[in-house]
Amino acid sequence: MKRYFLLLLIFLISYSTKAQDLTIDPKMYGIIEAVSADRLEADIRTLAGFGTRHTMSDTTSDTRGIGAARRWIKSEFEKISEACGGCLEVREQRTLVEGDPDSRIYEDTWVVNVYAILKGKTHPNNYIIMSGDIDSRASDIRNYTIDAPGANDNASGMAGAIEAARVLSNYEFENSIIFAGLSGEEQGLYGGRHMAEMAKEEGWNIIGVLNNDMIGNIEGVDGVIDNREFRIFSEPYSAQATERELQMKRFYGGENDGISRQLARYIYETTQTYMPEMDPMLIYRLDRFGRGGHHRPFNEAGFPGVRIMEAHENYHRQHQDIRVENGIKYGDVIEGVDFNYARKMTAVNAVALAAMAEAPPKPDEVEIGGAVEPSTTLRWEKSESESVKGYKIYWRPTSAPLWQHSRFVGDVSEFTLEGIVIDNYLFGVSAVGKNGHESVVAYPGGLIRD
Ligand SMILES: [Zn+2]
């Protein structure tokens, strides 16, 4: 009897936390193990050691300012590439932002992103992006000379992207991965906007942007200390949804099933699958309350993107001049970073990146039908990709946050779920690869009309 209850409990726990039922790939455990807390510590110390990385700070010194920081990041990517026989394309994106006395960039400034591309062997134009930020700030956003080590905000995310590049450059993937250092975040999300514009111009097919912003602090300003929890922020659906799309949502649902939210659920699930010791929180919100981050400009360009970050923030350590006031230490200094937590967070990213980089393209043109019928039909366009084994239909009750039920239906382009009434569930379709990896779930964008 006892055992029965235990089994029931295990079933209920796994049932309630499962979103997508992914096939286990043993190489993921090697990827997790390869992420090094020591290397992350060294890189975060180096980045904080540039004194300030304010977007408008000095670019000529070799020891201080954002110029020194970005040259160092570039040289790290180049070193990684050398070690893997030139597997990374290391690039800079330089954009001149004209100074505007009323804006946070009040003198002409080159905003420079530094990034490395690990080209996919099957679908090189399909990209997953892991980003951190190069720049930092202190109390006064306009002060570009005062110390702003930005150890957690956001040397932690930047170091995470470099370390993920070190680890994943030892593998080959179906899709491309970009490890990006973005600039101008604190001044108004410039670097992300520039990269999103470039992606649109060059026609990148972005599977997802994993924007890492503060992944090293475990000690909240509220006194909570936790080295397992973290947050995945996602907007509900595109802010660029057309009038017609909004109307579709009103009558058919989908206000909780945008592309970024599906991406967030996917990362939640890769974490649950490969790093059950971690405790991801899906936050169904674009970003923290009223605050911004570099995934937003990608969202605004129509790309799926989420913010990944620690669960417990410490505001005394963010955007603060280094000082002691009333016995409280302020400033984003190295002592506020837990390198082992940054390691786990980097591994969370690496696993999600690797899973998406191995997955076939998600199904296109997914349509749904079944009103006033005791069944639900899904139809989609079959992918031309050779790597697809078949498709999997997901469904869940309308009030459930995660996908709950799934059925692999084979290599078909249409399937009817008998006995499932469309009114009571939400539905989606993923593509499953011959290698067992699975795409992000695609939510229906139209109705079956025949
Ligand atoms: Zn910040």
Side-chain angles (χ1 to χ4, degrees):
M1 200 60 189
K2 231 177 175 177
R3 187 188 291 172
Y4 170 76
F5 273 117
L6 192 65
L7 283 172
L8 184 70
L9 191 68
I10 289 168
F11 170 75
L12 284 174
I13 289 169
S14 58
Y15 184 76
S16 62
T17 57
K18 279 281 179 190
Q20 216 169 341
D21 197 14
L22 302 175
T23 308
I24 298 284
D25 178 349
K27 82 163 169 288
M28 296 298 188
Y29 299 107
I31 287 171
I32 294 165
E33 267 170 41
V35 177
S36 156
D38 289 344
R39 285 193 298 261
L40 283 160
E41 174 172 356
D43 291 354
I44 293 168
R45 283 185 186 279
T46 300
L47 286 162
F50 291 117
T52 176
R53 302 184 308 280
H54 190 288
T55 296
M56 297 166 68
S57 62
D58 186 44
T59 57
T60 53
S61 164
D62 279 333
T63 53
R64 189 175 176 88
I66 195 162
R70 64 197 185 210
R71 284 192 295 280
W72 176 79
I73 293 164
K74 189 160 180 256
S75 74
E76 281 307 298
F77 281 142
E78 281 162 354
K79 255 192 253 172
I80 296 166
S81 188
E82 227 164 87
C84 63
C87 73
L88 297 180
E89 270 174 49
V90 182
R91 291 192 196 165
E92 268 183 359
Q93 182 190 16
R94 304 177 70 87
T95 311
L96 182 67
V97 176
E98 275 179 46
D100 170 356
D102 296 329
S103 93
R104 287 178 167 194
I105 294 190
Y106 52 97
E107 291 166 8
D108 288 3
T109 303
W110 285 97
V111 171
V112 182
N113 296 326
V114 183
Y115 59 105
I117 308 173
L118 179 61
K119 275 278 177 204
K121 57 180 198 287
T122 313
H123 305 290
N125 196 46
N126 292 0
Y127 295 94
I128 308 111
I129 301 175
M130 176 182 179
S131 69
D133 302 304
I134 304 174
D135 63 307
S136 68
R137 64 168 287 185
S139 298
D140 174 5
I141 185 65
R142 296 166 75 90
N143 189 336
Y144 56 76
T145 52
I146 194 170
D147 276 347
N152 191 46
D153 181 14
N154 188 11
S156 64
M158 185 67 247
I162 296 170
E163 177 64 5
R166 276 190 201 107
V167 171
L168 297 181
S169 58
N170 293 311
Y171 300 84
E172 280 192 333
F173 298 100
E174 305 271 303
N175 306 309
S176 297
I177 304 175
I178 297 183
F179 307 94
L182 303 176
S183 219
E185 196 267 344
E186 306 288 6
Q187 308 310 109
L189 312 177
Y190 285 90
R193 200 150 54 238
H194 297 158
M195 186 168 275
E197 278 164 13
M198 175 170 67
K200 269 187 128 171
E201 273 162 31
E202 296 186 2
W204 300 3
N205 176 29
I206 297 184
I207 297 166
V209 177
L210 281 58
N211 170 41
N212 283 257
D213 196 344
M214 293 189 264
I215 57 165
N217 179 67
I218 61 166
E219 197 182 339
V221 78
D222 52 5
V224 176
I225 298 177
D226 187 306
N227 64 1
R228 290 170 179 248
E229 258 186 306
F230 70 95
R231 295 180 287 179
I232 310 166
F233 288 88
S234 62
E235 64 177 3
Y237 56 85
S238 173
Q240 277 66 50
T242 61
E243 203 58 39
R244 195 187 130 61
E245 284 166 335
L246 292 174
Q247 217 167 32
M248 288 279 295
K249 288 187 207 312
R250 179 143 190 252
F251 290 104
Y252 306 108
E255 61 276 23
N256 197 15
D257 279 275
I259 50 178
S260 296
R261 188 133 302 162
Q262 306 300 353
L263 172 66
R265 291 187 181 116
Y266 189 94
I267 298 163
Y268 179 95
E269 183 58 22
T270 53
T271 307
Q272 295 284 29
T273 303
Y274 294 107
M275 299 183 70
E277 70 275 23
M278 294 303 280
D279 198 356
M281 297 162 73
L282 283 172
I283 309 284
Y284 280 5
R285 179 174 271 164
L286 168 64
D287 205 323
R288 287 103 15 101
F289 199 85
R291 289 186 288 164
H294 251 152
H295 54 306
R296 193 170 89 205
F298 288 95
N299 291 163
E300 279 161 5
F303 296 122
V306 299
R307 179 193 188 110
I308 296 178
M309 80 176 298
E310 64 212 23
H312 303 283
E313 290 181 68
N314 195 320
Y315 310 119
H316 295 162
R317 293 171 185 161
Q318 291 175 16
H319 304 181
Q320 298 281 358
D321 293 347
I322 301 168
R323 66 193 191 281
V324 180
E325 234 173 67
N326 300 325
I328 297 170
K329 286 184 182 170
Y330 291 89
D332 192 354
V333 294
I334 205 84
E335 289 71 27
V337 180
D338 184 286
F339 305 109
N340 198 39
Y341 181 69
R343 172 188 67 78
K344 290 190 272 189
M345 293 298 289
T346 302
V348 161
N349 277 270
V351 162
L353 291 170
M356 277 185 271
E358 287 288 63
K362 70 177 178 185
D364 262 341
E365 309 293 332
V366 179
E367 293 179 335
I368 188 164
V372 293
E373 279 170 49
S375 64
T376 301
T377 300
L378 276 300
R379 183 188 288 171
W380 54 92
E381 213 158 84
K382 271 172 71 166
S383 162
E384 279 161 27
S385 172
E386 302 257 303
S387 46
V388 177
K389 181 174 91 182
Y391 298 88
K392 205 166 173 181
I393 295 178
Y394 283 91
W395 68 102
R396 68 179 204 272
T398 57
S399 61
L402 300 168
W403 295 112
Q404 288 189 353
H405 313 283
S406 67
R407 181 163 168 186
F408 180 74
V409 295
D411 192 15
V412 295
S413 61
E414 181 172 329
F415 195 83
T416 299
L417 293 164
E418 298 293 348
I420 305 286
V421 175
I422 196 169
D423 305 335
N424 306 338
Y425 301 94
L426 296 160
F427 300 84
V429 186
S430 75
V432 181
K434 289 173 183 153
N435 61 7
H437 283 281
E438 196 174 324
S439 75
V440 176
V441 174
Y443 189 81
L447 304 173
I448 297 172
R449 294 283 185 191
D450 52 56

